[in-house]
Amino acid sequence: MTNKADNLVQELERLRSLINNYNYQYYVLDDPSVPDAEYDRLYRELSKLESEHPDLITEDSPTQRVGAKPDTGFAEVVHELPMLSLDNAMDSDEMKSFNRRVKERLAQSENIEYVCEPKLDGLAISLLYENGLLTRAATRGDGSQGENITLNARTIRPIPLKLRTNNPPQRLEVRGEVFMLKSAFEAINEEARNTGAKVFANPRNAAAGSLRQLDPQITAKRNLSFYAYSVGLVSDDFKLADKHYDRLEQIKELGLPVSSEVKVVEGISGCLEYYEDIAERRDSLEYEIDGVVNKVNSIALQDRLGFVARAPRWAIAHKFPAQEEITQLLGVDFQVGRTGALTPVARLEPVSVGGVTVSNATLHNMDEITRLGVKIKDSVVIRRAGDVIPQVVSVILDRRPDDAEAIEMPVECPVCGSAVERTEGEAVIRCTGGLVCSSQRNEAIKHFASRKAMDIDGLGDKLVEIFTEKGFVKSISDLYRLTKEQIAGLDRMGEKSAVNLLTALEASKTTTLPKFLYALGIREVGEVTAKNLANHFFTIDAVMNADIQDLEAVSDVGPIVAQHVKVFFENPDNRQQVKELIELGVTWPEIEAKSDDELPLKDKTYVITGSFEGISRAEIKDKLESLGAKVAGSVSKKTTALIAGEKAGSKLTKAESLGIEILDISFVQSLES
């Protein structure tokens, strides 16, 4: 019996030590070594053991406090009202249990009214306004005390320095989340890769690291965002609403941003419906969320429910399946793309990430492998977000085995055996085999047939591989030489399938010059660049014969892209392909130069956000561009106007803060009259 008790004490000490260490890495160093899912598992395991053996709970257990001590780089702030964390529900059954406990404690049989909010993946902070002016901002820290980050918070544009009211309360504390938009996250990491600086694993780490910079000027450059989600300390001269949702409306009226996704629902069914809806839309949101926060709406009922040691009884976070997990790297394969680029792909011990079993993940390139310091047999953190290819984001060095092996760059193409090369200034290794390499040929044909290129309906990847394997298609022009007999003779095809594919091939011959240029697969020439080239030169001959200086005169075409275009059309095989495609009947409408009268929006830049009834954002973009406008993906001082639809989010907030004109769908409709 003694051994069993000793083992239990040792296990509790091990869990507490692990969690405390991970807390330190997360809160103090801003450098977490394990994903949230691993932390949550350990925390729940510790909580379970302590609930079964309450006599073994210690005062320093992680379950008896919210977080970890703040770094010493900032002055400490003691929270007058503690900033508590939330309990988690990992599935619908745990949500139903939470709802049942709420109703039982309230002795209430009818449905509870809840407020559902997206659980932002950022850093919780407190903002104190005194007589309407922002006087202090602090991190949550350990819930009792945090760090004074006032100077940094003042650089975050969505946070008002002065409340929008002529009769401000003497004191008002607003609590919310600082986070980083996905677009800002991509931009900061792209800059980091170019300069050799630290690359962040995810937007949450980027936001936390940016907010806790000792130099506010660095924070200012990080383009952080903020949403308020509750009220803390309030002086007696300010009357708060008696419902949580109405309090959020009060906060909005005072000039603080609140997520447009916040919604009042009826009962547990409303909570679960909200969860399913926002989970489906998660990847289209402009920011990362990792679940839904559900709160009892009535403040009176919140007061009756009260708190447990570390969390309110009236709120719970319904977490999404983990998007990060730990697994082992078993090996590395190199895949060859249509431009000859060799991409290292990690072979993994299969693991469930975000509800999907992942056995492969991208390592991007050899520079990324070096930056990560990853080796074969390492334990690695895998991240998957929506349809994005899973990627290795970090290595858990303290789990590295003694027989871990270095990852070597191949000297030959794994497909055709040709030599590989690395161009100076590029991170990518490329096969020199060109069309000799079947992977490049196959990928070039697949790209040519894709929806945004020639849009050949029914020509899938498998068919392309069969056609090239049998020798029917050796180049993109050979697609238009396929015969009914060749196609019908394939397994599972037949005459009807052959006729359908030939019909689709014939239909694809009628295209546009931008689509044709994009379909050719020129390096760095995407849809937008292809459109700019077409609208600048008007004909394919002019594009093919343009020199570097002419190409650099095209909007958004710099020296690198200009060089890729020139090199592509200097290749006689590529020019021959263009000639053969046109001879085989590929055609497009002639592009005519437009006068300034036909381009009333020339030199203007618009940003589109939200949803619009009866018209897609792509259609709005096409209309604007046809009139000479440039359509950007993010709001800046150079933006002429923002066209905002339903559920316009952070872009609208930013546009308003910059004093940029806000337009609605009527503006687009007026362009058609």
Side-chain angles (χ1 to χ4, degrees):
M1 189 69 178
T2 303
N3 286 340
K4 187 175 180 180
D6 289 344
N7 289 340
L8 177 59
V9 170
Q10 288 176 9
E11 178 62 8
L12 286 167
E13 288 177 352
R14 184 186 75 84
L15 289 170
R16 288 167 187 152
S17 176
L18 267 176
I19 294 169
N20 281 329
N21 187 47
Y22 292 149
N23 268 339
Y24 175 77
Q25 293 170 352
Y26 187 102
Y27 290 101
V28 178
L29 302 183
D30 288 330
D31 189 24
S33 63
V34 296
D36 288 351
E38 177 75 0
Y39 180 95
D40 288 343
R41 273 195 294 269
L42 294 169
Y43 194 99
R44 289 161 72 85
E45 185 179 347
L46 176 60
S47 297
K48 182 175 181 294
L49 287 175
E50 288 185 344
S51 66
E52 293 170 353
H53 304 278
D55 55 312
L56 296 178
I57 297 176
T58 60
E59 288 185 3
D60 62 350
S61 172
T63 62
Q64 303 305 298
R65 58 179 182 171
V66 176
K69 291 183 178 180
D71 192 3
T72 56
F74 295 89
E76 291 183 358
V77 172
V78 176
H79 298 300
E80 296 177 59
L81 290 177
M83 292 183 70
L84 301 181
S85 60
L86 297 174
D87 284 334
N88 293 329
M90 308 309 290
D91 53 38
S92 58
D93 287 340
E94 292 189 8
M95 276 298 299
K96 290 173 183 176
S97 296
F98 162 74
N99 181 63
R100 185 176 62 253
R101 291 194 301 271
V102 167
K103 294 174 75 170
E104 287 175 352
R105 185 168 287 274
L106 295 173
Q108 184 169 316
S109 58
E110 60 268 23
N111 280 336
I112 302 293
E113 189 176 70
Y114 290 103
V115 176
C116 297
E117 308 168 15
K119 187 176 183 298
L120 299 163
D121 206 5
L123 190 75
I125 68 167
S126 160
L127 302 173
L128 180 63
Y129 289 88
E130 294 181 310
N131 297 314
L133 297 177
L134 178 64
T135 58
R136 190 187 69 201
T139 62
R140 189 182 62 153
D142 66 0
S144 297
Q145 63 183 35
E147 299 170 319
N148 190 319
I149 48 146
T150 307
L151 293 178
N152 288 352
R154 288 175 64 89
T155 71
I156 302 173
R157 288 187 178 274
I159 296 176
L161 303 181
K162 182 179 180 180
L163 298 178
R164 291 171 59 90
T165 176
N166 292 324
N167 187 28
Q170 292 178 12
R171 302 185 84 207
L172 172 66
E173 180 197 2
V174 177
R175 294 172 175 182
E177 196 90 359
V178 170
F179 59 97
M180 185 173 283
L181 295 176
K182 294 175 183 176
S183 57
F185 171 69
E186 293 300 331
I188 194 176
N189 267 358
E190 182 63 27
E191 182 181 353
R193 292 187 188 99
N194 293 336
T195 60
K198 175 184 176 182
V199 175
F200 291 100
N202 52 52
R204 179 199 63 233
N205 291 352
S210 301
L211 191 62
R212 298 181 67 253
Q213 290 289 327
L214 293 176
D215 182 357
Q217 292 185 8
I218 297 177
T219 305
K221 295 176 182 178
R222 297 290 176 83
N223 197 17
L224 295 174
S225 298
F226 171 83
Y227 279 150
Y229 58 65
S230 70
V231 176
L233 183 74
V234 183
S235 55
D236 293 338
D237 62 330
F238 186 71
K239 182 172 175 55
L240 287 171
D242 57 7
K243 290 191 175 182
H244 174 69
Y245 184 84
D246 295 337
R247 289 186 174 185
L248 294 180
E249 290 296 303
Q250 286 180 295
I251 292 172
K252 284 172 64 176
E253 289 176 5
L254 292 172
L256 290 132
V258 174
S259 171
S260 60
E261 298 289 345
V262 178
K263 185 178 179 182
V264 178
V265 303
E266 190 73 19
I268 186 62
S269 61
C271 293
L272 297 177
E273 286 172 10
Y274 180 96
Y275 176 89
E276 293 299 329
D277 172 66
I278 204 165
E280 288 182 9
R281 297 186 291 110
R282 178 184 188 183
D283 296 325
S284 65
L285 296 177
E286 295 177 315
Y287 44 83
E288 293 275 12
I289 62 173
D290 59 1
V292 173
V293 176
N294 306 273
K295 301 175 182 175
V296 172
N297 195 19
S298 166
I299 302 301
L301 294 184
Q302 288 185 12
D303 291 342
R304 284 175 57 190
L305 289 164
F307 300 82
V308 289
R310 61 182 293 273
R313 292 193 180 97
W314 43 264
I316 196 166
H318 189 178
K319 300 288 287 286
F320 289 138
Q323 289 191 296
E324 290 185 348
E325 277 292 357
I326 297 175
T327 189
Q328 187 179 31
L329 175 63
L330 303 178
V332 176
D333 299 324
F334 286 83
Q335 293 183 349
V336 183
R338 65 180 176 87
T339 62
L342 271 66
T343 302
V345 177
R347 282 188 285 109
L348 308 167
E349 184 69 35
V351 63
S352 179
V353 187
V356 175
T357 299
V358 172
S359 55
N360 295 295
T362 183
L363 283 162
H364 298 293
N365 50 53
M366 290 302 297
D367 282 356
E368 181 72 357
I369 289 172
T370 302
R371 185 190 70 78
L372 289 168
V374 62
K375 294 185 177 183
I376 295 169
K377 298 184 182 179
D378 270 340
S379 290
V380 294
V381 176
I382 306 301
R383 179 171 175 80
R384 176 185 176 274
D387 295 328
V388 177
I389 298 170
Q391 58 182 319
V392 176
V393 295
S394 62
V395 180
I396 302 178
L397 292 174
D398 58 9
R399 297 190 188 183
R400 172 169 286 170
D402 294 336
D403 59 348
E405 303 170 17
I407 300 169
E408 300 290 343
M409 181 180 78
V411 295
E412 294 182 348
C413 172
V415 175
C416 69
S418 298
V420 300
E421 65 177 4
R422 181 171 179 173
T423 304
E424 187 176 350
E426 285 194 359
V428 177
I429 307 162
R430 296 185 189 278
C431 165
T432 60
L435 289 179
V436 172
C437 181
S438 60
S439 284
Q440 291 183 65
R441 182 180 64 222
N442 284 357
E443 293 306 314
I445 294 169
K446 290 173 187 177
H447 172 77
F448 183 82
S450 64
R451 183 176 60 82
K452 292 181 179 180
M454 299 302 284
D455 193 16
I456 304 174
D457 189 30
L459 183 58
D461 292 356
K462 284 288 184 186
L463 265 182
V464 170
E465 290 165 7
I466 292 171
F467 288 151
T468 57
E469 185 180 319
K470 289 186 173 293
F472 296 165
V473 176
K474 296 178 181 177
S475 64
I476 53 178
S477 60
D478 282 344
L479 289 171
Y480 296 109
R481 298 187 179 97
L482 287 165
T483 66
K484 184 167 70 173
E485 291 72 26
Q486 286 175 323
I487 302 170
L490 299 175
D491 290 342
R492 300 182 183 179
M493 289 301 287
E495 187 169 333
K496 184 177 179 181
S497 296
V499 170
N500 288 341
L501 181 55
L502 288 172
T503 301
L505 282 162
E506 190 63 31
S508 74
K509 290 180 181 179
T510 302
T511 185
T512 65
L513 181 54
K515 282 196 167 189
F516 182 74
L517 284 169
Y518 173 66
L520 292 176
I522 306 167
R523 283 182 62 194
E524 305 291 343
V525 175
E527 293 175 87
V528 174
T529 303
K531 184 180 291 186
N532 290 342
L533 286 167
N535 291 335
H536 183 90
F537 290 107
F538 307 131
T539 69
I540 186 66
D541 286 338
V543 178
M544 290 197 296
N545 296 321
D547 60 24
I548 291 290
Q549 189 174 356
D550 292 335
L551 289 165
E552 288 187 19
V554 179
S555 174
D556 292 333
V557 172
I560 294 175
V561 176
Q563 184 66 28
H564 289 325
V565 175
K566 187 173 186 295
V567 168
F568 182 88
F569 287 118
E570 282 180 342
N571 185 315
D573 291 334
N574 292 336
R575 296 178 77 95
Q576 181 63 25
Q577 281 295 296
V578 172
K579 179 183 177 183
E580 290 181 19
L581 287 165
I582 293 172
E583 289 174 349
L584 287 163
V586 174
T587 185
W588 50 83
E590 184 179 344
I591 300 175
E592 296 181 0
K594 292 184 177 181
S595 66
D596 286 347
D597 290 341
E598 295 174 290
L599 298 172
L601 303 183
K602 186 179 179 182
D603 299 326
K604 295 182 183 296
T605 301
Y606 294 89
V607 174
I608 308 167
T609 188
S611 58
F612 303 84
E613 187 175 352
I615 187 170
S616 68
R617 289 198 287 198
E619 290 172 318
I620 296 173
K621 179 181 178 183
D622 287 344
K623 181 64 179 176
L624 293 171
E625 289 178 340
S626 71
L627 297 173
K630 178 180 178 181
V631 178
S634 58
V635 175
S636 71
K637 291 180 180 179
K638 296 180 181 179
T639 303
T640 304
L642 176 77
I643 302 173
E646 293 295 321
K647 293 188 176 179
S650 59
K651 290 179 182 177
L652 177 59
T653 303
K654 183 171 182 179
E656 290 174 336
S657 71
L658 293 175
I660 290 167
E661 184 179 8
I662 311 298
L663 303 172
D664 58 22
I665 191 62
S666 62
F667 169 73
V668 180
Q669 293 167 341
S670 71
L671 299 175
E672 300 172 355
S673 58

